[in-house]
Amino acid sequence: MNAVRRLEGIDWVRWGIITVPTLFAISSASAVTWPLIVLVAVVSLPVLLHDRTAPPRWLLPAALVLVIAATGALWVLRPSGFTSVSMFGATFYTLRSSGRVASGFAVAAAAGTIIAWAISQQPSWLNALAPLAALIVMVLLAANRRGRVARLEQTELALARAQTATEEHARAAALAERARIAREVHDVLAHSLAGLALNLQGTRLMLVRDGASADTLAQIERAQKLASDGLAEARKAVAALREDAVPVERTVSDLLASYRLDSGARADLVVEGEPRELDAAVGTTLVRAVQEALSNTRKHAAGAAVEVKLVFGTDEVALTVVDRQGRRPPDAPTAGYGLRGMGERAALLEGKFESGPGEDGWRIHLTVPA
């Protein structure tokens, strides 16, 4: 809906030029001219109010053509009046503001009026040519204005296209540079960190075999964890540089890889359904659930194997994490802060969260809409 604006001075001037000269004919109005005067007064209202009432596009051109025809008839019937001013004013305004069809009707109505006036009044050839010359000048002025407006629009369009092309070129260059940096980070830093983490894992196992001190093993494990964390951060940086959202299944896989390197235990991921991009809140909830489950496994069942199952359904995503302790764990007296947090995250998404002991380990199950 268009915003209502206040009438400006140019609106009153335009309406006055088209309407007021006709009103002078009221003093000498007859039964024939009264209907024409009333018609001009009524159909000229769109000239004043067309921007305020948002009428159909055809209303203003149609009203102007009617004004030209009515004021032209008044001019033929009362040639001594000022109604010709209204006719020429309406014609000029139509030529400036309307399309080719309305302009054609306006010129035809004005030319027909001039011819009818010349036939009825029999003026000299010079006086007869003067109104036609005025009409021709109006047409030329309107054509010149249309051409100027068209050239300005073409210039603005060309500038807009040039600016868009420049911005797209700059964006493409920036994306290409970011992709190059991402490749370097992935091929050099990420691979180096992955190799370092594996070497540290092998070193830790060798030290355990050779009976190294606990302090030495702790230092190696700390270095291994730093390498694993650095690898995860490097992958996040690559995704950010490429402006790609890291898929949930890939993030979970990285967490399990870190768990394997950290504990030496088996950690498997099973994905069912067709993986797809998830809402940020849903993805964060799933990843935080896996992180908390692995943290609890490290704390309460160190070295236990972990199985993670991620199921992509039509309307929801289900996550199951089970640590295989080889025995049924005891029931927790109260839910810890981590389990409470997982339940709260699921509740915020109108999902479901279950946690408890299974036959041979602890099990959590999370279902969230997607």
Side-chain angles (χ1 to χ4, degrees), residues 69-93:
T71 53
L74 282 172
W75 181 40
V76 173
L77 294 173
R78 294 287 186 271
S80 59
F82 297 98
T83 51
S84 60
V85 177
S86 296
M87 186 195 71
F88 283 110
T91 302
F92 186 64
Y93 183 45

Side-chain angles (χ1 to χ4, degrees), residues 256-280:
L256 295 178
S258 177
Y259 177 81
R260 285 193 296 269
L261 292 172
D262 194 21
S263 64
R266 183 172 58 86
D268 299 325
L269 171 64
V270 177
V271 179
E272 295 183 0
E274 187 66 27
R276 60 183 182 274
E277 185 177 351
L278 301 174
D279 182 76

Side-chain angles (χ1 to χ4, degrees), residues 171 174-186 189 233-246:
R171 177 176 173 78
L175 290 177
E177 180 63 15
R178 292 176 65 168
R180 185 191 67 80
I181 296 173
R183 288 194 299 270
E184 294 296 326
V185 172
H186 179 270
L189 180 60
E233 293 300 324
R235 286 175 175 171
K236 290 180 182 178
V238 170
L241 285 170
R242 291 186 177 273
E243 295 185 344
D244 296 332
V246 180

Side-chain angles (χ1 to χ4, degrees), residues 153-333:
E153 290 178 351
Q154 290 295 327
T155 301
E156 292 176 357
L157 181 60
L159 290 175
R161 288 176 176 173
Q163 183 177 0
T164 302
T166 302
E167 292 175 354
E168 289 296 329
H169 179 74
R171 177 176 173 78
L175 290 177
E177 180 63 15
R178 292 176 65 168
R180 185 191 67 80
I181 296 173
R183 288 194 299 270
E184 294 296 326
V185 172
H186 179 270
D187 295 343
V188 179
L189 180 60
H191 285 177
S192 298
L193 288 173
L196 176 61
L198 290 174
N199 286 333
L200 288 171
Q201 172 69 3
T203 302
R204 187 180 71 85
L205 294 176
M206 293 173 60
L207 290 174
V208 171
R209 182 197 62 188
D210 296 340
S213 65
D215 291 341
T216 302
L217 290 176
Q219 290 292 337
I220 292 296
E221 290 172 355
R222 189 177 299 111
Q224 182 183 353
K225 186 176 186 306
L226 289 174
S228 299
D229 292 344
L231 177 59
E233 293 300 324
R235 286 175 175 171
K236 290 180 182 178
V238 170
L241 285 170
R242 291 186 177 273
E243 295 185 344
D244 296 332
V246 180
V248 171
E249 63 274 13
R250 178 175 169 183
T251 304
V252 172
S253 178
D254 289 343
L255 290 174
L256 295 178
S258 177
Y259 177 81
R260 285 193 296 269
L261 292 172
D262 194 21
S263 64
R266 183 172 58 86
D268 299 325
L269 171 64
V270 177
V271 179
E272 295 183 0
E274 187 66 27
R276 60 183 182 274
E277 185 177 351
L278 301 174
D279 182 76
V282 174
T284 300
T285 298
L286 296 172
V287 171
R288 293 291 180 264
V290 175
Q291 287 178 325
E292 182 61 28
L294 293 177
S295 176
N296 288 340
T297 300
R298 289 187 178 97
K299 185 185 301 182
H300 302 292
V306 175
E307 294 179 2
V308 178
K309 187 176 182 180
L310 193 59
V311 180
F312 289 87
T314 304
D315 300 319
E316 62 182 20
V317 178
L319 171 72
T320 304
V321 183
V322 180
D323 56 22
R324 303 297 184 183
Q325 304 178 21
R327 59 180 177 81
R328 181 182 176 86
D331 293 336

Side-chain angles (χ1 to χ4, degrees), residues 11 37 50 98 119 144 173 179 243 266 291 314 317 320 338 353 369:
D11 299 318
I37 296 173
H50 71 281
S98 301
I119 293 173
N144 180 67
E243 295 185 344
R266 183 172 58 86
Q291 287 178 325
T314 304
V317 178
T320 304
F353 174 74

